[in-house]
Amino acid sequence: MENQEKLTLSIQIEMIQFNLMRMRTVAWTLMYVTAIITIIHYGEVFFTKTERAMVPAYIGIHIILFYIDLAVLLFVKEKRIKVTTLNLRKYESILLAYIYTILLLITVITVMDVYFFKHVALYEVLFLMICTFFSLPFRKFFWIMLLTVPPILIGGYLSVGISGESIKIFLPMSLIIPMGLIIQRHTFKIKRQFTKQHILLQEEMIKSKNLSKLLAEKNNELSEQALRDTLTNLPNRRAFNNKLTQIGQQLKPKSLSVMMIDIDFFKNLNDYYGHLQGDEALIKVAALVDEIAEKYNAFAARWGGEEFVIVSQHAAKFSEHVCEEILEEVRNLNIRHERSKVADIVTVSIGMCHAKISNSEQLRTCCELADQALYTAKQNGRNNFYSKSGNFGEDVCLP
């Protein structure tokens, strides 16, 4: 029910907005007509002496019409007028006031036309124009017809009575007014239906757009989840490979460091404390690795199992400092590990390769060398890091 009321209100707003723009079209037309008629009346060459008595009244009414239409053109502009639920009644009142005013003024002129010229052409033309241009419910027209048609009919009866002359007045009105009402009703129904369909289509488009946006967001979330390790929330091996490809595509000769980090004797920790404790240790070490990587604007990922990897663009000496910081901070976590052969707490071993790299193949080679350096660090007693130099030949071992 609420949706239906909202739809009805939206239709009313669109219809009023449409009619206000049509009001400008009618104003332009009437300004042209009143200007021409006023010029003709000033000449008085088309009128007899008796008929010239009505010229001042004609000119006065047409000048009033001219300025009313000019005001409409000046103040009713599409960029300025925005119909909303708050001002809907106000603009509807302005629209009806305009229609009623011009029809009443034309009725005054038509009554004089009946008396002097025995016709009602001006009223008929304007009535048809309003029925054609404006899309309003019949009840809006009923009251203006009640105000304007009887005076014209009474004026015609008083002027010519029931005679052959009266056919010029009553016959056209009896044909044109019903015809105008039929046109008006048909125009209103079509415009209302079109507006309703337009609003419903817009709503469906908005829903579709929002659904597409939501779907895109969900797809992005799924894509991100597919590139995240579910336990540590670090980027996974697949994300790391994507990062390598991205770096390789953007690569100009630059210095890069790859650090492979492995938790010492992790299998012993799992076997002794259980997988829950093992997972907890992995999560804490991963969070630390991620924090340090973010601190130095580096990229960290879970390589697999108990191994992690960091890619940094810092100089070799600075990267060695990062390795030392990781070793120290992991020890500072004070995670119990009684089955470690190095210490009674969790420690890590790190293999690092630093090289000046100019293509993606060298970058992947650097990763392999970092993995080899990690193996060497383990062979050299663990809880240390081992570095391979930038020329892929000279080695440095730092406990």
Side-chain angles (χ1 to χ4, degrees):
M1 189 68 179
E2 184 180 347
N3 290 337
Q4 187 62 38
E5 290 176 358
K6 184 179 177 182
L7 176 61
T8 302
L9 186 60
S10 298
I11 292 172
Q12 289 177 352
I13 290 172
E14 289 291 328
M15 296 285 279
I16 293 297
Q17 189 83 39
F18 169 80
N19 284 321
L20 287 172
M21 294 305 103
R22 284 301 181 94
M23 188 165 72
R24 286 179 56 83
T25 305
V26 173
W28 273 115
T29 305
L30 286 181
M31 275 187 68
Y32 172 75
V33 171
T34 53
I36 295 298
I37 291 177
T38 302
I39 292 170
I40 291 173
H41 280 81
Y42 265 115
E44 296 186 352
V45 294
F46 298 102
F47 309 113
T48 63
K49 288 183 179 181
T50 305
E51 293 168 349
R52 288 174 187 176
M54 55 75 183
V55 168
Y58 266 60
I59 291 175
I61 295 172
H62 280 295
I63 289 174
I64 293 171
L65 281 170
F66 181 88
Y67 282 111
I68 290 173
D69 293 323
L70 181 62
V72 168
L73 295 175
L74 289 175
F75 297 106
V76 180
K77 295 183 178 179
E78 189 170 2
K79 292 182 179 179
R80 185 181 297 176
I81 301 297
K82 184 64 178 177
V83 182
T84 65
T85 52
L86 298 176
N87 60 26
L88 173 64
R89 298 305 171 195
K90 181 183 79 172
Y91 283 122
E92 185 180 32
S93 299
I94 291 172
L95 175 67
L96 292 176
Y98 174 72
I99 295 172
Y100 280 36
T101 301
I102 60 174
L103 267 176
L104 286 171
L105 289 173
I106 293 298
T107 299
V108 175
I109 294 175
T110 303
V111 169
M112 288 191 288
D113 283 342
V114 168
Y115 179 79
F116 288 104
F117 306 111
K118 309 300 184 288
H119 69 76
V120 290
L122 192 59
Y123 180 87
E124 293 165 350
V125 169
L126 189 64
F127 184 80
L128 276 178
M129 181 188 297
I130 289 173
C131 289
T132 304
F133 276 84
F134 294 108
S135 294
L136 293 168
F138 174 75
R139 65 179 182 277
K140 305 292 184 182
F141 280 90
F142 175 77
W143 294 107
I144 190 61
M145 286 177 57
L146 201 63
L147 289 171
T148 58
V149 173
I152 295 172
L153 295 177
I154 293 170
Y157 177 76
L158 294 177
S159 175
V160 297
I162 304 300
S163 64
E165 288 288 325
S166 64
I167 295 176
K168 297 179 183 179
I169 300 171
F170 300 122
L171 183 60
M173 286 191 72
S174 64
L175 293 173
I176 289 175
I177 288 178
M179 188 186 303
L181 293 176
I182 292 171
I183 292 171
Q184 184 274 326
R185 180 174 175 78
H186 185 67
T187 302
F188 175 72
K189 286 178 67 177
I190 289 177
K191 180 59 184 175
R192 183 178 175 82
Q193 185 64 26
F194 175 81
T195 303
K196 180 180 179 180
Q197 294 300 324
H198 178 69
I199 291 171
L200 291 174
L201 181 61
Q202 280 188 322
E203 289 178 353
E204 288 300 319
M205 288 176 66
I206 291 171
K207 288 179 183 177
S208 178
K209 185 177 179 181
N210 291 338
L211 186 61
S212 298
K213 184 179 178 181
L214 181 62
L215 186 60
E217 290 174 356
K218 293 298 181 184
N219 284 336
N220 288 336
E221 288 178 10
L222 289 173
S223 297
E224 289 179 4
Q225 289 173 7
L227 297 173
R228 288 275 169 183
D229 177 60
T230 54
L231 178 64
T232 63
N233 201 36
L234 280 177
N236 57 21
R237 184 73 171 269
R238 180 182 173 190
F240 177 74
N241 290 333
N242 290 346
K243 185 68 176 179
L244 288 187
T245 302
Q246 181 185 349
I247 293 173
Q249 290 172 347
Q250 300 172 351
L251 209 56
K252 294 179 180 179
K254 65 172 67 174
S255 295
L256 287 176
S257 296
V258 178
M259 305 169 208
M260 293 288 182
I261 304 159
D262 183 79
I263 298 177
D264 295 327
F265 300 106
F266 182 75
K267 184 178 184 303
N268 295 350
L269 185 147
N270 253 344
D271 293 342
Y272 184 73
Y273 292 100
H275 288 286
L276 289 179
Q277 291 278 39
D279 288 348
E280 186 178 343
L282 275 173
I283 292 169
K284 287 180 179 180
V285 173
L288 177 64
V289 169
D290 189 39
E291 182 182 340
I292 293 174
E294 186 176 355
K295 176 181 175 182
Y296 296 116
N297 196 27
F299 177 79
R302 186 179 182 187
W303 184 255
E306 66 274 18
E307 290 188 63
F308 304 94
V309 61
I310 293 178
V311 179
S312 168
Q313 295 186 24
H314 297 97
K317 286 294 182 185
F318 190 84
S319 296
E320 290 172 2
H321 164 74
V322 174
C323 290
E324 291 172 350
E325 183 176 347
I326 293 171
L327 290 170
E328 183 181 355
E329 292 297 329
V330 170
R331 287 193 292 264
N332 289 339
L333 290 174
N334 286 317
I335 303 171
R336 296 297 301 169
H337 190 355
E338 296 179 18
R339 288 295 183 267
S340 172
K341 298 176 182 179
V342 178
D344 59 355
I345 57 175
V346 167
T347 59
V348 296
S349 299
I350 304 173
M352 185 187 82
C353 173
H354 182 84
K356 190 171 184 179
I357 295 170
S358 58
N359 57 63
S360 56
E361 187 61 34
Q362 290 180 357
L363 179 58
R364 294 189 182 278
T365 301
C366 189
C367 292
E368 293 172 5
L369 290 173
D371 199 40
Q372 293 173 18
L374 173 61
Y375 179 78
T376 304
K378 290 180 180 180
Q379 292 294 105
N380 290 341
R382 302 178 190 259
N383 190 24
N384 61 23
F385 74 90
Y386 192 86
S387 175
K388 289 225 175 239
S389 63
N391 59 13
F392 298 100
E394 183 185 351
D395 298 349
V396 180
C397 179
L398 296 170

